[in-house]
Amino acid sequence: SQQGEEDPQALSIQEGENATMNCSYKTSINNLQWYRQNSGRGLVHLILIRSNEREKHSGRLRVTLDTSKKSSSLLITASRAADTASYFCATDLGDYKLSFGAGTTVTVRA
Amino acid sequence: SQTIHQWPATLVQPVGSPLSLECTVEGTSNPNLYWYRQAAGRGLQLLFYSVGIGQISSEVPQNLSASRPQDRQFILSSKKLLLSDSGFYLCARQGITEAFFGQGTRLTVV
C-alpha cells in the first residue's frame, strides 16, 4: 500500500514562480526522499531528508520535514520550463523498501 | 557508474501471451533490486524485491512472477498476460541513500 500522499495532484505555474508541494505519510520513517519523473521516463532522486532533520536545501530545492505532523514539503524556487515533471515523495521505513505517493504533476508555463 | 538497463522500452502483447522483462545492473555487486508498476497518472506500486540471487519477495498477489538468476539480473515474467497487467514497469536498485531507476518498459496488453 502507498504510505505517502502528495498534494496537490497537479500544479501549473509561470516560469520564475515558486512551486510548493506537500507529502503526508502514515507511519514512522527513517527518512523521506523526493524524486522527479519526466514523462515516460524513470525516476531520478532529488533529495533525502532524515527523520532527525527539519529542513534541507539543494540548489533551488528546499525540503522540510515535520515528523509530528507526518508531513513534508518540497519547494522549487524560481521555476524553469525544464522543471515540468511529476514529483514523488517516498518514505523509507527501514525494511529495504520505499513507499511512493501518487505524485504531483508540475507544469511550468513559459 | 550505477547503470540500470531495462528492455524493451515499449511492448504490445496480446492477452494470454507470456511476458519476460529483463533488468540488468552495472557498477555494483549484490544489489537490492526492485520491480515497480506505475499505472497511468499514478504512483509506484512495489511488485517484487530481491536481496540476493534466488531470493524473491512478493508484495502483492498477482499474475506476475520474478526471478533473480544472477547477481545483477532481475526478470519479471508472466505465463499469461491480462489486460490489467498494462502499465509502466520500472526496475530499481537501492543505493545507500537513494534508489536508482531504469528507464522503464511501457507494456500494453491488447
Side-chain angles (χ1 to χ4, degrees), chain A residues 2 33 35 37 40-45 48 50 88 95-98 100-103, chain B residues 32 34 36 38 42-44 46 49 51 59 88 90 94 97-99 101-103 106:
Chain A
Q2 293 179 323
Q33 304 173 29
Y35 289 79
Q37 183 182 35
R41 305 297 296 273
L43 277 71
V44 175
H45 182 262
L48 176 152
R50 301 188 190 286
F88 295 88
D95 57 354
Y96 299 111
K97 296 174 283 187
L98 288 178
F100 286 84
Chain B
N32 290 344
Y34 304 80
Y36 290 89
Q38 185 178 28
R42 303 293 299 277
L44 277 66
L46 179 62
Y49 70 94
V51 299
E59 285 297 291
F88 190 51
L90 288 158
Q94 181 62 50
T97 58
E98 64 189 272
F101 285 83
Q103 291 304 300
R106 174 81 55 196

mmCIF file of all heavy atoms in Angstrom, chain A residues 2 33 35 37 40-45 48 50 88 95-98 100-103, chain B residues 32 34 36 38 42-44 46 49 51 59 88 90 94 97-99 101-103 106:
data_model
loop_
_atom_site.group_PDB
_atom_site.id
_atom_site.type_symbol
_atom_site.label_atom_id
_atom_site.label_comp_id
_atom_site.label_asym_id
_atom_site.label_seq_id
_atom_site.Cartn_x
_atom_site.Cartn_y
_atom_site.Cartn_z
ATOM 1 N N GLN A 2 0.339 2.361 -0.511
ATOM 2 C CA GLN A 2 1.108 3.578 -0.597
ATOM 3 C C GLN A 2 1.000 4.329 0.717
ATOM 4 O O GLN A 2 -0.093 4.651 1.177
ATOM 5 C CB GLN A 2 0.594 4.427 -1.760
ATOM 6 C CG GLN A 2 0.866 3.782 -3.108
ATOM 7 C CD GLN A 2 0.339 4.615 -4.250
ATOM 8 O OE1 GLN A 2 -0.703 5.229 -4.139
ATOM 9 N NE2 GLN A 2 1.052 4.645 -5.363
ATOM 10 N N GLN A 33 12.298 10.785 0.949
ATOM 11 C CA GLN A 33 13.021 11.179 -0.257
ATOM 12 C C GLN A 33 12.052 11.782 -1.263
ATOM 13 O O GLN A 33 10.876 11.417 -1.296
ATOM 14 C CB GLN A 33 13.719 9.959 -0.863
ATOM 15 C CG GLN A 33 14.657 9.263 0.109
ATOM 16 C CD GLN A 33 15.217 7.972 -0.428
ATOM 17 O OE1 GLN A 33 15.387 7.795 -1.623
ATOM 18 N NE2 GLN A 33 15.518 7.029 0.478
ATOM 19 N N TYR A 35 11.593 12.443 -5.450
ATOM 20 C CA TYR A 35 12.042 12.025 -6.770
ATOM 21 C C TYR A 35 11.294 12.816 -7.827
ATOM 22 O O TYR A 35 10.180 13.291 -7.614
ATOM 23 C CB TYR A 35 11.774 10.528 -7.000
ATOM 24 C CG TYR A 35 12.664 9.606 -6.206
ATOM 25 C CD1 TYR A 35 12.412 9.361 -4.861
ATOM 26 C CD2 TYR A 35 13.755 8.993 -6.807
ATOM 27 C CE1 TYR A 35 13.236 8.521 -4.126
ATOM 28 C CE2 TYR A 35 14.588 8.144 -6.079
ATOM 29 C CZ TYR A 35 14.314 7.923 -4.744
ATOM 30 O OH TYR A 35 15.140 7.092 -4.028
ATOM 31 N N GLN A 37 10.119 12.671 -12.029
ATOM 32 C CA GLN A 37 9.941 11.805 -13.190
ATOM 33 C C GLN A 37 9.508 12.638 -14.369
ATOM 34 O O GLN A 37 8.423 13.237 -14.338
ATOM 35 C CB GLN A 37 8.890 10.717 -12.910
ATOM 36 C CG GLN A 37 8.714 9.742 -14.055
ATOM 37 C CD GLN A 37 7.632 8.715 -13.778
ATOM 38 O OE1 GLN A 37 6.628 9.016 -13.134
ATOM 39 N NE2 GLN A 37 7.820 7.484 -14.254
ATOM 40 N N GLY A 40 7.197 9.555 -19.122
ATOM 41 C CA GLY A 40 7.614 8.322 -19.763
ATOM 42 C C GLY A 40 9.011 7.857 -19.430
ATOM 43 O O GLY A 40 9.556 6.996 -20.131
ATOM 44 N N ARG A 41 9.605 8.397 -18.380
ATOM 45 C CA ARG A 41 10.974 8.032 -18.026
ATOM 46 C C ARG A 41 11.035 7.457 -16.613
ATOM 47 O O ARG A 41 10.029 7.411 -15.893
ATOM 48 C CB ARG A 41 11.884 9.267 -18.105
ATOM 49 C CG ARG A 41 11.854 9.990 -19.427
ATOM 50 C CD ARG A 41 12.352 9.132 -20.572
ATOM 51 N NE ARG A 41 13.742 8.759 -20.433
ATOM 52 C CZ ARG A 41 14.756 9.488 -20.861
ATOM 53 N NH1 ARG A 41 14.534 10.673 -21.415
ATOM 54 N NH2 ARG A 41 15.988 9.054 -20.730
ATOM 55 N N GLY A 42 12.218 7.023 -16.237
ATOM 56 C CA GLY A 42 12.410 6.541 -14.870
ATOM 57 C C GLY A 42 12.483 7.688 -13.888
ATOM 58 O O GLY A 42 12.514 8.862 -14.262
ATOM 59 N N LEU A 43 12.496 7.350 -12.616
ATOM 60 C CA LEU A 43 12.558 8.373 -11.567
ATOM 61 C C LEU A 43 14.012 8.724 -11.266
ATOM 62 O O LEU A 43 14.896 7.871 -11.322
ATOM 63 C CB LEU A 43 11.889 7.869 -10.284
ATOM 64 C CG LEU A 43 10.369 8.001 -10.226
ATOM 65 C CD1 LEU A 43 9.712 7.008 -11.166
ATOM 66 C CD2 LEU A 43 9.876 7.813 -8.809
ATOM 67 N N VAL A 44 14.210 9.981 -10.902
ATOM 68 C CA VAL A 44 15.530 10.468 -10.535
ATOM 69 C C VAL A 44 15.460 11.048 -9.132
ATOM 70 O O VAL A 44 14.561 11.840 -8.825
ATOM 71 C CB VAL A 44 16.018 11.545 -11.531
ATOM 72 C CG1 VAL A 44 17.350 12.124 -11.070
ATOM 73 C CG2 VAL A 44 16.141 10.959 -12.929
ATOM 74 N N HIS A 45 16.398 10.637 -8.311
ATOM 75 C CA HIS A 45 16.431 11.105 -6.935
ATOM 76 C C HIS A 45 16.803 12.582 -6.870
ATOM 77 O O HIS A 45 17.729 13.036 -7.548
ATOM 78 C CB HIS A 45 17.467 10.280 -6.154
ATOM 79 C CG HIS A 45 17.568 10.624 -4.711
ATOM 80 N ND1 HIS A 45 18.532 11.471 -4.220
ATOM 81 C CD2 HIS A 45 16.827 10.245 -3.658
ATOM 82 C CE1 HIS A 45 18.384 11.581 -2.915
ATOM 83 N NE2 HIS A 45 17.361 10.842 -2.547
ATOM 84 N N LEU A 48 17.146 13.802 -0.052
ATOM 85 C CA LEU A 48 16.762 12.953 1.070
ATOM 86 C C LEU A 48 16.820 13.773 2.341
ATOM 87 O O LEU A 48 17.756 14.561 2.537
ATOM 88 C CB LEU A 48 17.718 11.756 1.165
ATOM 89 C CG LEU A 48 17.553 10.775 2.331
ATOM 90 C CD1 LEU A 48 18.051 9.381 1.914
ATOM 91 C CD2 LEU A 48 18.302 11.222 3.570
ATOM 92 N N ARG A 50 16.480 13.152 6.543
ATOM 93 C CA ARG A 50 16.400 12.132 7.575
ATOM 94 C C ARG A 50 15.366 12.519 8.633
ATOM 95 O O ARG A 50 15.022 13.695 8.775
ATOM 96 C CB ARG A 50 17.773 11.914 8.205
ATOM 97 C CG ARG A 50 18.821 11.484 7.203
ATOM 98 C CD ARG A 50 20.128 11.093 7.833
ATOM 99 N NE ARG A 50 21.171 10.905 6.830
ATOM 100 C CZ ARG A 50 21.251 9.865 6.022
ATOM 101 N NH1 ARG A 50 20.378 8.891 6.098
ATOM 102 N NH2 ARG A 50 22.220 9.775 5.136
ATOM 103 N N PHE A 88 7.525 12.949 -6.767
ATOM 104 C CA PHE A 88 7.028 11.932 -5.848
ATOM 105 C C PHE A 88 7.805 11.978 -4.537
ATOM 106 O O PHE A 88 9.031 12.142 -4.548
ATOM 107 C CB PHE A 88 7.219 10.532 -6.447
ATOM 108 C CG PHE A 88 6.427 10.281 -7.682
ATOM 109 C CD1 PHE A 88 6.922 10.605 -8.936
ATOM 110 C CD2 PHE A 88 5.164 9.702 -7.610
ATOM 111 C CE1 PHE A 88 6.193 10.373 -10.087
ATOM 112 C CE2 PHE A 88 4.431 9.457 -8.757
ATOM 113 C CZ PHE A 88 4.940 9.798 -9.990
ATOM 114 N N ASP A 95 12.982 -1.129 5.916
ATOM 115 C CA ASP A 95 12.759 -2.550 5.648
ATOM 116 C C ASP A 95 13.077 -2.895 4.206
ATOM 117 O O ASP A 95 12.391 -3.709 3.594
ATOM 118 C CB ASP A 95 11.305 -2.915 5.964
ATOM 119 C CG ASP A 95 10.308 -2.054 5.181
ATOM 120 O OD1 ASP A 95 10.740 -1.098 4.491
ATOM 121 O OD2 ASP A 95 9.101 -2.327 5.254
ATOM 122 N N TYR A 96 14.106 -2.292 3.668
ATOM 123 C CA TYR A 96 14.573 -2.490 2.291
ATOM 124 C C TYR A 96 13.647 -1.876 1.246
ATOM 125 O O TYR A 96 13.924 -1.966 0.068
ATOM 126 C CB TYR A 96 14.715 -3.981 1.939
ATOM 127 C CG TYR A 96 15.702 -4.736 2.769
ATOM 128 C CD1 TYR A 96 15.269 -5.693 3.675
ATOM 129 C CD2 TYR A 96 17.065 -4.511 2.640
ATOM 130 C CE1 TYR A 96 16.185 -6.387 4.440
ATOM 131 C CE2 TYR A 96 17.977 -5.205 3.398
ATOM 132 C CZ TYR A 96 17.534 -6.150 4.295
ATOM 133 O OH TYR A 96 18.421 -6.846 5.056
ATOM 134 N N LYS A 97 12.545 -1.283 1.663
ATOM 135 C CA LYS A 97 11.584 -0.820 0.669
ATOM 136 C C LYS A 97 11.288 0.662 0.791
ATOM 137 O O LYS A 97 11.321 1.227 1.874
ATOM 138 C CB LYS A 97 10.268 -1.598 0.824
ATOM 139 C CG LYS A 97 10.391 -3.071 0.545
ATOM 140 C CD LYS A 97 9.091 -3.793 0.870
ATOM 141 C CE LYS A 97 8.932 -3.993 2.342
ATOM 142 N NZ LYS A 97 7.757 -4.835 2.675
ATOM 143 N N LEU A 98 10.982 1.264 -0.365
ATOM 144 C CA LEU A 98 10.484 2.634 -0.401
ATOM 145 C C LEU A 98 9.004 2.599 -0.766
ATOM 146 O O LEU A 98 8.618 1.848 -1.649
ATOM 147 C CB LEU A 98 11.223 3.466 -1.447
ATOM 148 C CG LEU A 98 12.666 3.856 -1.160
ATOM 149 C CD1 LEU A 98 13.235 4.632 -2.333
ATOM 150 C CD2 LEU A 98 12.770 4.667 0.109
ATOM 151 N N PHE A 100 6.030 4.860 -2.263
ATOM 152 C CA PHE A 100 5.854 6.087 -3.041
ATOM 153 C C PHE A 100 4.418 6.584 -2.981
ATOM 154 O O PHE A 100 3.468 5.802 -2.938
ATOM 155 C CB PHE A 100 6.219 5.847 -4.505
ATOM 156 C CG PHE A 100 7.681 5.724 -4.744
ATOM 157 C CD1 PHE A 100 8.329 4.514 -4.561
ATOM 158 C CD2 PHE A 100 8.418 6.810 -5.170
ATOM 159 C CE1 PHE A 100 9.699 4.397 -4.782
ATOM 160 C CE2 PHE A 100 9.791 6.704 -5.401
ATOM 161 C CZ PHE A 100 10.426 5.499 -5.203
ATOM 162 N N GLY A 101 4.277 7.906 -3.036
ATOM 163 C CA GLY A 101 2.968 8.511 -3.170
ATOM 164 C C GLY A 101 2.539 8.539 -4.625
ATOM 165 O O GLY A 101 3.251 8.052 -5.506
ATOM 166 N N ALA A 102 1.372 9.153 -4.867
ATOM 167 C CA ALA A 102 0.814 9.200 -6.220
ATOM 168 C C ALA A 102 1.402 10.330 -7.057
ATOM 169 O O ALA A 102 1.188 10.378 -8.258
ATOM 170 C CB ALA A 102 -0.700 9.329 -6.167
ATOM 171 N N GLY A 103 2.103 11.255 -6.429
ATOM 172 C CA GLY A 103 2.823 12.278 -7.174
ATOM 173 C C GLY A 103 2.064 13.567 -7.395
ATOM 174 O O GLY A 103 0.823 13.609 -7.336
ATOM 175 N N ASN B 32 20.267 -4.729 -3.883
ATOM 176 C CA ASN B 32 18.839 -4.964 -3.649
ATOM 177 C C ASN B 32 18.112 -4.449 -4.883
ATOM 178 O O ASN B 32 18.276 -3.291 -5.269
ATOM 179 C CB ASN B 32 18.351 -4.213 -2.416
ATOM 180 C CG ASN B 32 18.900 -4.789 -1.128
ATOM 181 O OD1 ASN B 32 19.407 -5.910 -1.099
ATOM 182 N ND2 ASN B 32 18.809 -4.035 -0.062
ATOM 183 N N TYR B 34 14.434 -4.156 -7.344
ATOM 184 C CA TYR B 34 13.003 -3.964 -7.199
ATOM 185 C C TYR B 34 12.324 -3.888 -8.558
ATOM 186 O O TYR B 34 12.884 -3.350 -9.506
ATOM 187 C CB TYR B 34 12.711 -2.650 -6.440
ATOM 188 C CG TYR B 34 13.389 -2.577 -5.088
ATOM 189 C CD1 TYR B 34 14.729 -2.233 -4.978
ATOM 190 C CD2 TYR B 34 12.679 -2.875 -3.927
ATOM 191 C CE1 TYR B 34 15.359 -2.184 -3.747
ATOM 192 C CE2 TYR B 34 13.301 -2.828 -2.683
ATOM 193 C CZ TYR B 34 14.636 -2.486 -2.610
ATOM 194 O OH TYR B 34 15.250 -2.441 -1.381
ATOM 195 N N TYR B 36 8.740 -2.249 -9.902
ATOM 196 C CA TYR B 36 7.577 -1.426 -9.614
ATOM 197 C C TYR B 36 6.686 -1.381 -10.852
ATOM 198 O O TYR B 36 7.150 -1.487 -11.978
ATOM 199 C CB TYR B 36 7.977 0.013 -9.282
ATOM 200 C CG TYR B 36 8.675 0.227 -7.970
ATOM 201 C CD1 TYR B 36 10.060 0.142 -7.873
ATOM 202 C CD2 TYR B 36 7.954 0.535 -6.817
ATOM 203 C CE1 TYR B 36 10.697 0.355 -6.668
ATOM 204 C CE2 TYR B 36 8.590 0.753 -5.600
ATOM 205 C CZ TYR B 36 9.966 0.671 -5.542
ATOM 206 O OH TYR B 36 10.602 0.901 -4.341
ATOM 207 N N GLN B 38 3.671 1.214 -12.504
ATOM 208 C CA GLN B 38 3.041 2.521 -12.410
ATOM 209 C C GLN B 38 1.876 2.584 -13.395
ATOM 210 O O GLN B 38 2.073 2.499 -14.606
ATOM 211 C CB GLN B 38 4.053 3.619 -12.730
ATOM 212 C CG GLN B 38 3.537 5.026 -12.535
ATOM 213 C CD GLN B 38 4.591 6.069 -12.822
ATOM 214 O OE1 GLN B 38 5.505 5.848 -13.623
ATOM 215 N NE2 GLN B 38 4.502 7.211 -12.170
ATOM 216 N N ARG B 42 -0.426 7.654 -11.952
ATOM 217 C CA ARG B 42 -0.442 7.182 -10.564
ATOM 218 C C ARG B 42 0.957 7.027 -10.013
ATOM 219 O O ARG B 42 1.955 7.199 -10.711
ATOM 220 C CB ARG B 42 -1.169 5.823 -10.491
ATOM 221 C CG ARG B 42 -2.579 5.830 -11.014
ATOM 222 C CD ARG B 42 -3.505 6.659 -10.142
ATOM 223 N NE ARG B 42 -3.575 6.151 -8.797
ATOM 224 C CZ ARG B 42 -4.378 5.151 -8.424
ATOM 225 N NH1 ARG B 42 -5.147 4.552 -9.301
ATOM 226 N NH2 ARG B 42 -4.400 4.760 -7.166
ATOM 227 N N GLY B 43 1.033 6.662 -8.746
ATOM 228 C CA GLY B 43 2.312 6.425 -8.114
ATOM 229 C C GLY B 43 2.846 5.040 -8.429
ATOM 230 O O GLY B 43 2.309 4.317 -9.267
ATOM 231 N N LEU B 44 3.916 4.677 -7.746
ATOM 232 C CA LEU B 44 4.565 3.394 -7.998
ATOM 233 C C LEU B 44 4.076 2.344 -7.008
ATOM 234 O O LEU B 44 4.043 2.582 -5.800
ATOM 235 C CB LEU B 44 6.078 3.537 -7.859
ATOM 236 C CG LEU B 44 6.833 4.059 -9.065
ATOM 237 C CD1 LEU B 44 6.473 5.489 -9.380
ATOM 238 C CD2 LEU B 44 8.336 3.918 -8.853
ATOM 239 N N LEU B 46 4.994 -1.277 -5.538
ATOM 240 C CA LEU B 46 6.065 -2.261 -5.448
ATOM 241 C C LEU B 46 5.498 -3.650 -5.716
ATOM 242 O O LEU B 46 4.549 -4.076 -5.056
ATOM 243 C CB LEU B 46 6.728 -2.200 -4.075
ATOM 244 C CG LEU B 46 7.857 -3.197 -3.823
ATOM 245 C CD1 LEU B 46 9.016 -2.967 -4.789
ATOM 246 C CD2 LEU B 46 8.334 -3.109 -2.383
ATOM 247 N N TYR B 49 10.723 -7.566 -4.688
ATOM 248 C CA TYR B 49 12.074 -7.134 -4.412
ATOM 249 C C TYR B 49 12.935 -8.341 -4.100
ATOM 250 O O TYR B 49 12.425 -9.406 -3.729
ATOM 251 C CB TYR B 49 12.129 -6.080 -3.302
ATOM 252 C CG TYR B 49 11.825 -6.547 -1.910
ATOM 253 C CD1 TYR B 49 12.840 -6.930 -1.025
ATOM 254 C CD2 TYR B 49 10.517 -6.569 -1.446
ATOM 255 C CE1 TYR B 49 12.562 -7.321 0.256
ATOM 256 C CE2 TYR B 49 10.225 -6.971 -0.164
ATOM 257 C CZ TYR B 49 11.243 -7.337 0.696
ATOM 258 O OH TYR B 49 10.956 -7.724 1.980
ATOM 259 N N VAL B 51 16.887 -9.418 -2.416
ATOM 260 C CA VAL B 51 18.106 -9.017 -1.717
ATOM 261 C C VAL B 51 19.286 -9.908 -2.095
ATOM 262 O O VAL B 51 20.394 -9.713 -1.584
ATOM 263 C CB VAL B 51 17.902 -9.005 -0.191
ATOM 264 C CG1 VAL B 51 16.815 -8.004 0.198
ATOM 265 C CG2 VAL B 51 17.556 -10.398 0.316
ATOM 266 N N GLU B 59 5.149 -8.514 -3.079
ATOM 267 C CA GLU B 59 4.406 -7.549 -2.283
ATOM 268 C C GLU B 59 2.900 -7.662 -2.487
ATOM 269 O O GLU B 59 2.132 -7.337 -1.590
ATOM 270 C CB GLU B 59 4.860 -6.126 -2.631
ATOM 271 C CG GLU B 59 6.200 -5.782 -2.062
ATOM 272 C CD GLU B 59 6.203 -5.807 -0.547
ATOM 273 O OE1 GLU B 59 5.556 -4.934 0.074
ATOM 274 O OE2 GLU B 59 6.850 -6.706 0.032
ATOM 275 N N PHE B 88 3.361 0.806 -16.746
ATOM 276 C CA PHE B 88 4.753 1.197 -16.921
ATOM 277 C C PHE B 88 5.548 0.485 -15.838
ATOM 278 O O PHE B 88 5.304 0.685 -14.650
ATOM 279 C CB PHE B 88 4.859 2.725 -16.792
ATOM 280 C CG PHE B 88 6.188 3.299 -17.183
ATOM 281 C CD1 PHE B 88 6.766 2.986 -18.397
ATOM 282 C CD2 PHE B 88 6.838 4.186 -16.349
ATOM 283 C CE1 PHE B 88 7.982 3.535 -18.777
ATOM 284 C CE2 PHE B 88 8.066 4.738 -16.711
ATOM 285 C CZ PHE B 88 8.634 4.419 -17.931
ATOM 286 N N LEU B 90 9.003 -0.473 -13.888
ATOM 287 C CA LEU B 90 10.294 0.119 -13.570
ATOM 288 C C LEU B 90 11.111 -0.817 -12.698
ATOM 289 O O LEU B 90 10.610 -1.353 -11.710
ATOM 290 C CB LEU B 90 10.102 1.444 -12.832
ATOM 291 C CG LEU B 90 9.591 2.609 -13.672
ATOM 292 C CD1 LEU B 90 8.933 3.652 -12.797
ATOM 293 C CD2 LEU B 90 10.731 3.230 -14.451
ATOM 294 N N GLN B 94 18.462 -0.299 -4.957
ATOM 295 C CA GLN B 94 18.541 0.522 -3.748
ATOM 296 C C GLN B 94 19.995 0.839 -3.452
ATOM 297 O O GLN B 94 20.805 -0.068 -3.262
ATOM 298 C CB GLN B 94 17.909 -0.213 -2.567
ATOM 299 C CG GLN B 94 17.925 0.583 -1.278
ATOM 300 C CD GLN B 94 17.139 1.872 -1.387
ATOM 301 O OE1 GLN B 94 15.987 1.858 -1.831
ATOM 302 N NE2 GLN B 94 17.724 2.986 -0.986
ATOM 303 N N THR B 97 21.682 5.805 -0.059
ATOM 304 C CA THR B 97 20.789 6.890 0.331
ATOM 305 C C THR B 97 19.696 7.161 -0.690
ATOM 306 O O THR B 97 18.876 8.053 -0.497
ATOM 307 C CB THR B 97 21.568 8.203 0.531
ATOM 308 O OG1 THR B 97 22.240 8.524 -0.686
ATOM 309 C CG2 THR B 97 22.560 8.080 1.668
ATOM 310 N N GLU B 98 19.671 6.398 -1.775
ATOM 311 C CA GLU B 98 18.672 6.682 -2.793
ATOM 312 C C GLU B 98 18.463 5.445 -3.653
ATOM 313 O O GLU B 98 19.263 4.519 -3.643
ATOM 314 C CB GLU B 98 19.128 7.837 -3.672
ATOM 315 C CG GLU B 98 20.383 7.520 -4.465
ATOM 316 C CD GLU B 98 20.947 8.733 -5.163
ATOM 317 O OE1 GLU B 98 20.519 9.002 -6.291
ATOM 318 O OE2 GLU B 98 21.804 9.399 -4.566
ATOM 319 N N ALA B 99 17.358 5.452 -4.385
ATOM 320 C CA ALA B 99 17.092 4.391 -5.349
ATOM 321 C C ALA B 99 17.438 4.878 -6.741
ATOM 322 O O ALA B 99 17.232 6.046 -7.075
ATOM 323 C CB ALA B 99 15.616 3.987 -5.291
ATOM 324 N N PHE B 101 16.792 4.170 -10.780
ATOM 325 C CA PHE B 101 15.779 3.552 -11.630
ATOM 326 C C PHE B 101 16.265 3.374 -13.059
ATOM 327 O O PHE B 101 17.044 4.181 -13.577
ATOM 328 C CB PHE B 101 14.515 4.422 -11.650
ATOM 329 C CG PHE B 101 13.705 4.345 -10.398
ATOM 330 C CD1 PHE B 101 14.024 5.109 -9.295
ATOM 331 C CD2 PHE B 101 12.607 3.492 -10.320
ATOM 332 C CE1 PHE B 101 13.285 5.030 -8.133
ATOM 333 C CE2 PHE B 101 11.856 3.408 -9.164
ATOM 334 C CZ PHE B 101 12.193 4.176 -8.066
ATOM 335 N N GLY B 102 15.757 2.312 -13.684
ATOM 336 C CA GLY B 102 15.906 2.167 -15.118
ATOM 337 C C GLY B 102 14.916 3.082 -15.825
ATOM 338 O O GLY B 102 14.122 3.781 -15.185
ATOM 339 N N GLN B 103 14.954 3.054 -17.144
ATOM 340 C CA GLN B 103 14.105 3.944 -17.928
ATOM 341 C C GLN B 103 12.707 3.393 -18.149
ATOM 342 O O GLN B 103 11.866 4.084 -18.723
ATOM 343 C CB GLN B 103 14.780 4.267 -19.258
ATOM 344 C CG GLN B 103 16.005 5.147 -19.093
ATOM 345 C CD GLN B 103 15.689 6.435 -18.359
ATOM 346 O OE1 GLN B 103 14.880 7.241 -18.799
ATOM 347 N NE2 GLN B 103 16.306 6.638 -17.200
ATOM 348 N N ARG B 106 7.116 0.304 -21.137
ATOM 349 C CA ARG B 106 5.681 0.572 -21.288
ATOM 350 C C ARG B 106 5.036 -0.662 -21.882
ATOM 351 O O ARG B 106 5.277 -0.991 -23.036
ATOM 352 C CB ARG B 106 5.471 1.777 -22.204
ATOM 353 C CG ARG B 106 4.022 2.058 -22.557
ATOM 354 C CD ARG B 106 3.303 2.805 -21.483
ATOM 355 N NE ARG B 106 3.985 4.038 -21.121
ATOM 356 C CZ ARG B 106 3.740 4.711 -20.007
ATOM 357 N NH1 ARG B 106 2.839 4.271 -19.153
ATOM 358 N NH2 ARG B 106 4.385 5.821 -19.742
#
